[in-house]
């Protein structure tokens, strides 16, 4: 009996050992799958790592495009303050050349160039048509326009003008001299300040707009007259027939006279 039991136990051990072998094989094959999956995941990670820069570049490009679009939708920052703000008032006098005026002030902290444009350059012109204003500086520009007589049965004050004026501005460096090429060379930096419409006023009927126009025209005339006056000369003064009196020459003469009085020979 003991022999049979021993044979049984040995046979059962062999059976168990045979049953355990597949498990070991499954574990080894499982480890193989794990290693293959880990290698595939590492390859995937490498692929993701390699793709990251291009995705980041596309994200940056899209964000730049978004900000550019948003910036284009925002209203341009004004550099000039206009008075009147969006209209040019003219006295209605058919068949005559009439005048309007507008006060232009630089409200920025830098020098700003401005320029007028009109849809009717043959019948309208501006004085000055362009220029440069320093920070806080202002001027009154005069606008000249020929008023066409009314046609057919059109009532005088019902006549509407299709003429428009445009004022543009450009930031410039320091005290730059104005040249016409400024706005062409830096056209991407040009800001359209305002489109001005023409409004006719009855010169016989007083109103706030007409009174303001009269004040602006008087100030513009005064400024023009002051510019016409000759500037005071700051250089050497000419007296008599070409005798130049120079400050340094006077100092030299006084110095020599003093040396002679003290008995010292001049050098």
């Amino acid at each position: 009996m003991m022999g049979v039991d021993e044979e049984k136990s040995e046979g059962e051990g062999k059976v168990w050992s045979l049953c355990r072998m597949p498990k070991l094989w499954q574990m080894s094959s499982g480890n193989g799958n794990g290693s293959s999956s880990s290698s595939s995941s590492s390859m995937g990670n490498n692929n993701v790592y390699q793709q990251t820069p291009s995705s980041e570049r596309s994200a940056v490009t899209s964000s730049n495009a978004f900000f550019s679009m948003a910036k284009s939708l925002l209203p341009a920052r004004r550099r000039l303050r206009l008075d009147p703000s969006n209209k040019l008032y003219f006295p209605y006098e058919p068949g005559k050349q009439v005048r309007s005026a507008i006060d232009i002030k630089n409200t920025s902290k830098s020098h700003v160039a401005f320029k007028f444009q009109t849809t009717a350059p043959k019948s309208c012109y501006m004085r000055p048509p362009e220029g440069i204003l320093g920070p806080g500086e202002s001027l009154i520009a005069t606008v000249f326009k020929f008023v066409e007589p009314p046609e057919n049965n059109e009532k005088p004050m019902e006549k509407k003008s299709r003429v428009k004026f445009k004022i543009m501005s450009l930031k410039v460096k320091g005290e730059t001299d104005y040249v016409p090429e400024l706005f062409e060379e830096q056209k991407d930096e040009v800001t359209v300040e305002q489109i001005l419409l023409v409004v006719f006023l009855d010169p016989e009927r007083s109103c706030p707009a007409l009174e303001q126009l009269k004040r602006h025209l008087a100030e513009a005339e005064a400024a023009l007259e002051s510019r016409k006056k000759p500037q005071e000369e700051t250089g050497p003064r000419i007296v008599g027939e070409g005798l130049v009196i120079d400050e340094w020459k006077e100092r030299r003469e006084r110095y020599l006279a003093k040396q002679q009085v003290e008995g010292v020979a001049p050098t």
Side-chain angles (χ1 to χ4, degrees), residues 124-179:
C124 303
Y125 68 95
M126 291 69 66
R127 187 177 67 193
E130 67 273 319
I132 294 179
L133 295 173
E137 189 179 359
S138 63
L139 63 80
I140 295 179
T142 307
V143 185
F144 297 82
K145 174 177 169 51
F146 179 79
V147 181
E148 299 280 348
E151 298 177 358
N152 301 328
N153 296 326
E154 186 180 25
K155 293 182 180 180
M157 292 309 296
E158 289 182 356
K159 181 177 177 60
K160 295 182 180 180
S161 176
R162 297 180 181 179
V163 177
K164 296 179 182 179
F165 295 85
K166 179 167 66 175
I167 298 183
M168 301 177 294
S169 70
L170 174 66
K171 180 180 176 182
V172 295
K173 296 180 180 179
E175 298 180 359
T176 306
D177 292 333
Y178 183 88
V179 291

Side-chain angles (χ1 to χ4, degrees), residues 14-115:
K14 291 179 180 178
V15 170
W16 280 108
S17 62
L18 288 173
C19 290
R20 286 171 187 159
M21 285 175 68
K23 280 189 177 183
L24 294 174
W25 178 82
Q26 289 174 3
M27 288 175 65
S28 63
S29 64
N31 290 336
N33 290 337
S35 61
S36 62
S37 63
S38 64
S39 62
S40 62
S41 67
S42 64
M43 289 174 64
N45 290 336
N46 290 335
N47 291 334
V48 171
Y49 179 77
Q50 292 173 359
Q51 293 175 1
T52 299
S54 61
S55 62
E56 286 181 355
R57 285 194 297 271
S58 61
V60 170
T61 304
S62 60
S63 77
N64 289 339
F66 172 78
F67 284 118
S68 300
M69 183 180 67
K71 185 178 179 181
S72 64
L73 294 175
L74 291 174
R77 185 178 179 180
R78 305 297 182 191
R79 304 183 180 103
L80 303 176
R81 187 183 68 194
L82 309 177
D83 185 23
S85 59
N86 57 3
K87 294 181 178 67
L88 282 176
Y89 295 99
F90 292 88
Y92 186 73
E93 299 179 16
K96 294 183 180 180
Q97 187 183 68
V98 294
R99 297 180 300 162
S100 182
I102 183 170
D103 188 2
I104 307 172
K105 182 174 183 179
N106 178 8
T107 57
S108 70
K109 297 181 180 179
S110 60
H111 285 70
V112 172
F114 70 91
K115 181 180 180 181

Side-chain angles (χ1 to χ4, degrees), residues 241-257:
E241 297 180 357
L243 177 62
V244 178
I245 301 177
D246 193 350
E247 182 181 357
W248 291 103
K249 184 179 179 181
E250 291 178 353
R251 289 183 182 181
R252 177 66 177 171
E253 289 176 351
R254 288 197 300 267
Y255 172 75
L256 292 175

